[in-house]
Amino acid sequence: PGSTDQIILDAVSSCPDVSQLFLGDAVHRHSPIARKLLEQYKIGWIESAPRPTGDNRVDADYVDMKKAVLPQVLAMPPANYKVWLAQHPEIPTTLRIFAPDFVGNFLETFSRWPWWYIWPLWLPVVALTLSWALLGASVLSTLLCLASGLWSWSFLEYVTHRHVFHLETASLRGNVFHLFAHGFHHLAPLDSTRLTFPPWFSVVIVGLLASLVRMVQPQYAAFGWAWFAGMLSAYLLYDTMHFYFHHGVPEWLPAPVFRYVECQKTRHNRHHFHDPQRNFGVTSPMFDIIFGTADAKS
């Protein structure tokens, strides 16, 4: 999903009906979600083919993905929210969040952002805080603190993804929080306008991190700003990698970098389409390995 390439099996040329290839394990095991993705490309039924009868999926009872999702989730029995989400309903390329009224249209517009806005917004901040660091610390100390910031982001990314974005909830408030924090992304992971944190949310997070640095004693402030620059740089890499995980890894990357990003993309897609309780690390598998949440194949 989200690849720039099409996968064509050689076996298809000698087997016009690929049902067994798709449903069996001989070539590749497809998840139930893969089958739902394939359903979206259905153009009709073969006359002699058996057709499914009835639809017992929970999303058929509670949510119409072609309508605004938030009002339907608010009307849903709270205990059913995670059940519905876990069954992974129809996976649209995009979805509508808010009701189609004046306020809803306004909010809907500002819920969508191009992924690349993060670079003109935050790269100058990285450069500024890095220059502050170099004014008060050596190049070596700055680089070490910068590296510690990169490592810190990897840990924060893992903890946030596992314990906040995938928290267990059965209350209305908890469901709404989860829906906005991460639920919409799992419902429509191929929506390119909702892959990065919206500016208002990223400003709050970056502001909190900057507040932590400002609490550091003045004689150590340079080290704090170098750490902050590392954290913010890692965030830029996180959101950029996340976009390309769902929309094709650029082939102009150097070969070792390309292989690493492709590997992480595979891990992330298995998180989305195979087991959402595995592979929480996005930029690195390190903490999944440490805490035992890497899936066996990864």
Side-chain angles (χ1 to χ4, degrees), residues 153-298:
W153 171 265
S154 184
F155 179 70
L156 177 65
E157 164 198 306
Y158 175 86
V159 171
T160 303
H161 192 182
R162 180 179 180 181
H163 296 292
V164 178
F165 291 172
H166 284 270
L167 84 167
E168 291 298 324
T169 171
S171 68
L172 182 59
R173 290 183 179 180
N175 292 348
V176 171
F177 170 79
H178 178 269
L179 188 66
F180 278 95
H182 204 52
F184 285 124
H185 175 55
H186 269 264
L187 288 171
L190 304 182
D191 188 343
S192 63
T193 64
R194 292 194 176 115
L195 281 176
T196 55
F197 291 137
W200 59 266
F201 184 78
S202 61
V203 166
V204 170
I205 299 300
V206 172
L208 289 174
L209 292 175
S211 298
L212 289 176
V213 176
R214 290 174 63 87
M215 295 169 62
V216 175
Q217 294 294 325
Q219 62 266 36
Y220 303 116
F223 304 121
W225 288 120
W227 173 85
F228 176 87
M231 286 280 283
L232 195 50
S233 298
Y235 162 66
L236 292 175
L237 291 175
Y238 160 83
D239 258 349
T240 301
M241 288 176 67
H242 191 210
F243 171 81
Y244 282 114
F245 287 171
H246 293 291
H247 292 278
V249 179
E251 296 182 358
W252 49 260
L253 289 173
V257 177
F258 180 87
R259 286 195 297 269
Y260 178 78
V261 176
E262 274 283 297
C263 177
Q264 288 302 107
K265 174 182 176 176
T266 298
R267 294 183 68 255
H268 190 65
N269 274 336
R270 287 181 63 79
H271 167 78
H272 268 281
F273 303 112
H274 182 71
D275 186 353
Q277 296 305 315
R278 298 285 179 180
N279 298 349
F280 294 104
V282 175
T283 57
S284 167
M286 176 170 56
F287 291 104
D288 279 307
I289 295 170
I290 292 173
F291 294 111
T293 52
D295 71 344
K297 185 172 182 179
S298 297

Side-chain angles (χ1 to χ4, degrees), residues 72-139:
Q72 298 180 81
V73 170
L74 293 175
M76 176 189 297
N80 289 340
Y81 169 74
K82 292 305 283 284
V83 177
W84 164 71
L85 199 64
Q87 290 194 3
H88 232 294
E90 176 188 351
I91 303 173
T93 54
T94 187
L95 53 76
R96 184 177 181 90
I97 298 176
F98 301 97
D101 52 28
F102 178 78
V103 175
N105 290 336
F106 177 82
L107 295 174
E108 189 74 20
T109 299
F110 285 93
S111 72
R112 299 181 181 277
W113 296 89
W115 73 272
W116 49 260
Y117 88 84
I118 58 176
W119 287 94
L121 178 62
W122 295 121
L123 193 58
V125 179
V126 171
L128 179 63
T129 52
L130 200 55
S131 65
W132 290 349
L134 289 169
L135 289 174
S138 67
V139 173

Side-chain angles (χ1 to χ4, degrees), residues 10-28:
D10 293 335
V12 171
S13 60
S14 59
C15 179
D17 184 349
V18 299
S19 300
Q20 293 307 313
L21 290 174
F22 190 81
L23 300 176
D25 297 339
V27 177
H28 173 75

